[in-house]
Amino acid sequence: MAESKAKGSANPERHKLPIKSILVTQPQPTTDNSPYLSIAEKYDIKVDFRAFIEVEPVPFKEFRKDKVDILAHTAVIFTSRNAVDHFFRICQESKIEMPADMKYFCISDQTAYYLQKYITLRKRKLFVGEKTAKDLFEVIKKHKNEKFLFPCSNIRKDDIPSFLATNKIKHTEAIIYKTVAADLSDLDDVTYDCLAFFSPSGIHSLFINFPDFKQNNTRIAAFGPTTAKAVRDAGLELDIEAPMPNAPSMTGAIEVYIQNQMQETKK
């Protein structure tokens, strides 16, 4: 990326420069009511979307090497749509039909709803957390005698496996897909005033693609504490951190930053 040629070195005067362009390191929204588009229109800002990470399936032959016996488990934990998709891909390739009494534990209503793409759900076999892994822990505790299967990526948070191990709950991890850096070579000569990141993998992808990245006037936004830590660990300065008490979303935090800039300019 232009302005991206040597790690760190943020310009302390960059906060005085207005944000006129933002690169959101996620796929393009599929609807026209994205809050990013509202910001673009409200503040006359160019907003582009580009996924910095990609998901690759773990080939069935590679999965078999781990000798995971899916049907030896009585419950499955799902934390994302990717996990659902790749789990049932593996089942199909294994010619496995999930038994009617299998229990499913989903991190959110969205994941649970998506699960219906593959199976007909019975309420007594579906258990859903409110939103976070911690919410799901309370549900799992009530079913601690189940043998859990946790389909996941090669890059995942430690919270669920740690919880299961600490509480001596029988479980098996199954890596069924991989999170890898996307090819961003076409962005080599492109400059943005703000880069918005949502996972440590996004920061990793930035430096895989642009190992000599220099922050200069670019503002860095991060969602979540692990992403914020990855920004700082990479030697970058974090300018916009979400969620905040007055801005629970990334767009809200970016808008607060823009409004603060506008107020400073008026002084």
Side-chain angles (χ1 to χ4, degrees):
M1 303 177 98
E3 273 200 341
S4 308
K5 310 287 182 189
K7 193 173 182 178
S9 305
N11 176 10
E13 298 294 309
R14 67 192 183 285
H15 297 292
K16 297 178 182 179
L17 302 173
I19 289 179
K20 303 304 289 184
S21 62
I22 300 172
L23 179 61
V24 181
T25 62
Q26 288 185 325
Q28 177 85 29
T30 56
T31 62
D32 295 330
N33 60 351
S34 168
Y36 291 102
L37 302 182
S38 298
I39 284 182
E41 183 177 350
K42 185 175 180 179
Y43 299 102
D44 190 24
I45 293 174
K46 175 188 177 185
V47 178
D48 290 337
F49 298 86
R50 180 64 179 277
F52 271 39
I53 57 176
E54 296 177 347
V55 170
E56 291 183 352
V58 168
F60 178 57
K61 288 184 178 180
E62 184 177 331
F63 172 78
R64 286 183 62 184
K65 291 178 182 179
D66 292 333
K67 297 182 179 180
V68 175
D69 184 354
I70 293 175
L71 295 180
H73 300 80
T74 59
V76 185
I77 299 173
F78 289 118
T79 58
S80 70
R81 292 185 177 188
N82 281 326
V84 173
D85 282 336
H86 289 283
F87 174 75
F88 284 98
R89 171 186 60 82
I90 290 291
C91 287
Q92 183 180 25
E93 294 178 4
S94 305
K95 297 181 180 179
I96 289 175
E97 185 174 339
M98 299 304 289
D101 59 350
M102 181 67 74
K103 295 180 180 179
Y104 301 93
F105 292 75
C106 297
I107 198 166
S108 66
D109 285 329
Q110 290 85 352
T111 306
Y113 181 79
Y114 189 73
L115 184 57
Q116 296 180 75
K117 176 180 177 181
Y118 294 96
I119 58 174
T120 301
L121 294 175
R122 296 180 175 88
K123 287 187 177 180
R124 69 179 187 278
K125 301 301 179 185
L126 176 65
F127 307 90
V128 185
E130 290 184 13
K131 192 173 183 181
T132 68
K134 287 185 178 180
D135 299 328
L136 193 58
F137 293 165
E138 297 304 314
V139 181
I140 292 175
K141 280 182 181 179
K142 299 176 183 178
H143 301 268
K144 60 183 180 180
N145 293 325
E146 303 292 340
K147 187 172 182 181
F148 288 88
L149 180 63
F150 178 40
C152 59
S153 167
N154 62 320
I155 299 175
R156 53 100 178 119
K157 294 181 180 179
D158 294 330
D159 47 5
I160 290 178
S162 295
F163 166 80
L164 295 171
T166 300
N167 288 274
K168 298 180 179 179
I169 297 173
K170 292 181 180 179
H171 67 282
T172 305
E173 283 188 52
I175 297 176
I176 55 173
Y177 65 100
K178 296 179 180 180
T179 305
V180 299
D183 180 3
L184 307 174
S185 55
D186 57 305
L187 295 178
D188 189 48
D189 295 320
V190 181
T191 301
Y192 289 93
D193 297 323
C194 178
L195 301 177
F197 292 96
F198 300 83
S199 71
S201 298
I203 303 297
H204 176 70
S205 178
L206 173 69
F207 285 103
I208 287 291
N209 281 276
F210 310 105
D212 297 323
F213 178 83
K214 185 176 181 180
Q215 188 170 356
N216 289 333
N217 295 326
T218 302
R219 267 55 59 89
I220 302 292
F223 189 88
T226 57
T227 310
K229 182 178 184 299
V231 170
R232 297 185 177 104
D233 287 349
L236 302 173
E237 290 190 29
L238 181 59
D239 305 292
I240 303 168
E241 187 169 359
M244 300 188 299
N246 61 335
S249 65
M250 175 65 88
T251 49
I254 291 174
E255 186 163 17
V256 167
Y257 181 89
I258 292 171
Q259 290 175 346
N260 288 340
Q261 269 196 322
M262 294 170 68
Q263 291 174 3
E264 288 295 321
T265 302
K266 292 178 181 179
K267 290 182 180 180

